Amino acid sequence: MKKQDMNRDWIATAETLSSALPYFQRFAGAIVVIKLGGHAMGSDEAMDTFARDIVLMRQVGVNPVIVHGGGPMINAMLEKLQIKSEFVNGKRVTDAATMEVVEMVLSGVVNKRIVQAINRQGGRAVGLSGKDANLIICDQADPDLGFVGAPAEMDPKVLYGLFEKNMIPVIAPIGGGRDGETYNINGDTAAGAIAKALTADRLLLLTDVAGVKNADGDVVTELKAADVEEMTASGVIAGGMIPKTETALDAVRNGVRACTIVDGRVQNAVLLELYTDHGAGSMIRA
């Protein structure tokens, strides 16, 4: 008969699982849209950790939807193909040649890398773009920027069909135009549009910062829409955080229960946000 000493780490693990039960129950059947980008895509190890977390979410009854970016990969391919980009007011002009590369990289290499990572962890992921089944119909966002799209019409029926089969949609932010055009969509914008169309319970925007910070530089863990507006007007929220908070406000004012700007550099950030008291970023509610 073998005697086994109880390791403190084992006990802590069991306690963590037990304390997560209310959250498992709370999010069972919920739709959670996750914008994947930044650190979580930066290495195979980080990707595997993220994929394992997504498979766990699906295992306990959540319907996760992954929307991804891929800017660094696009830049690398444009450089490799010696396609030079023009910029207007600091924003890249997406001409026809650039759009071909964007679609090839996002819908091809990047999308399938995420799909494969999830499947390798035991999930059943399916790669899509906004062009599939007319998921996202776009209008041109700005004529000066070329083929950059703004989501105008959404048809999420294909996603509900995948949920019924316990599959995990992985979506490249590429949309179709009304006359057969192909448009590149900002990843956060695409994630927000999909979350609204699905009336998602949560929208999680993974980024490489700790969250929204106040004037003292401290991360604010929970904000109301009015707080975000006030902090933006006063200049506390500035720079690259503005489009993320704008996406969050648009989502929570259009049916999404809450949006969290999540520190994707933290290991298991998505699980921390959904299944613990303290979370892993700044939650914005209407």
Side-chain angles (χ1 to χ4, degrees):
M1 183 174 179
K2 183 178 180 181
K3 181 180 178 181
Q4 186 175 42
D5 295 326
M6 295 305 292
N7 183 294
R8 287 184 179 180
D9 290 340
W10 300 343
I11 296 172
T13 299
E15 289 176 346
T16 300
L17 289 171
S18 179
S19 66
L21 176 60
Y23 299 100
F24 290 154
Q25 294 169 328
R26 159 70 182 80
F27 287 105
I31 296 172
V32 177
V33 178
I34 303 162
K35 161 59 193 327
L36 173 61
H39 176 82
M41 294 178 66
S43 70
D44 290 341
E45 182 180 1
M47 181 66 75
D48 285 343
T49 298
F50 174 80
R52 190 161 52 248
D53 292 350
I54 296 304
V55 173
L56 175 60
M57 289 170 59
R58 177 58 262 177
Q59 190 68 37
V60 296
V62 173
N63 291 307
V65 179
I66 315 304
V67 182
H68 62 83
M73 298 78 167
I74 292 170
N75 292 338
M77 184 59 72
L78 288 171
E79 184 176 347
K80 183 176 181 180
L81 297 176
Q82 299 182 349
I83 297 175
K84 295 182 179 181
S85 298
E86 295 182 13
F87 291 83
V88 173
N89 297 325
K91 296 181 179 179
R92 186 199 304 275
V93 176
T94 304
D95 59 15
T98 301
M99 189 62 242
E100 286 187 10
V101 174
V102 169
E103 184 169 24
M104 175 179 67
V105 172
L106 292 183
S107 294
V109 177
V110 177
N111 187 274
K112 300 315 172 191
R113 178 188 174 213
I114 300 167
V115 167
Q116 190 173 27
I118 292 172
N119 290 345
R120 193 164 56 241
Q121 298 298 331
R124 299 177 68 209
V126 176
L128 305 167
S129 80
K131 291 169 69 174
D132 291 301
N134 290 327
L135 174 59
I136 307 176
I137 300 296
C138 291
D139 290 331
Q140 189 176 41
D142 183 343
D144 291 337
L145 297 179
F147 294 98
V148 175
E153 297 179 16
M154 306 292 298
D155 186 354
K157 287 195 292 291
V158 64
L159 303 182
Y160 288 116
L162 294 173
F163 296 156
E164 291 175 1
K165 295 176 173 60
N166 295 324
M167 292 183 177
I168 301 169
V170 179
I171 303 170
I174 303 292
R178 302 178 191 277
D179 296 315
E181 308 95 334
T182 298
Y183 287 109
N184 183 25
I185 311 168
N186 173 274
D188 290 341
T189 301
I194 291 167
K196 289 189 297 180
L198 292 168
T199 316
D201 192 279
R202 286 287 188 274
L203 170 61
L204 306 182
L205 302 176
L206 268 64
T207 185
D208 284 348
V209 297
V212 178
K213 296 182 179 180
N214 60 21
D216 297 324
D218 299 320
V219 175
V220 183
T221 57
E222 188 162 343
L223 306 97
K224 295 180 180 178
D227 300 325
V228 174
E229 291 176 334
E230 181 180 335
M231 293 169 72
T232 303
S234 65
V236 174
I237 294 176
M241 186 56 71
I242 291 177
K244 292 187 180 297
T245 53
E246 287 178 343
T247 295
L249 290 179
D250 184 45
V252 299
R253 286 171 170 160
N254 287 278
V256 178
R257 183 169 295 188
C259 173
T260 305
I261 297 172
V262 178
D263 188 351
R265 300 168 301 177
V266 176
Q267 188 164 344
N268 306 113
V270 172
L271 299 186
L272 287 170
E273 177 57 33
L274 291 182
Y275 300 124
T276 69
D277 287 332
H278 49 78
S282 300
M283 178 183 290
I284 298 171
R285 297 180 183 272

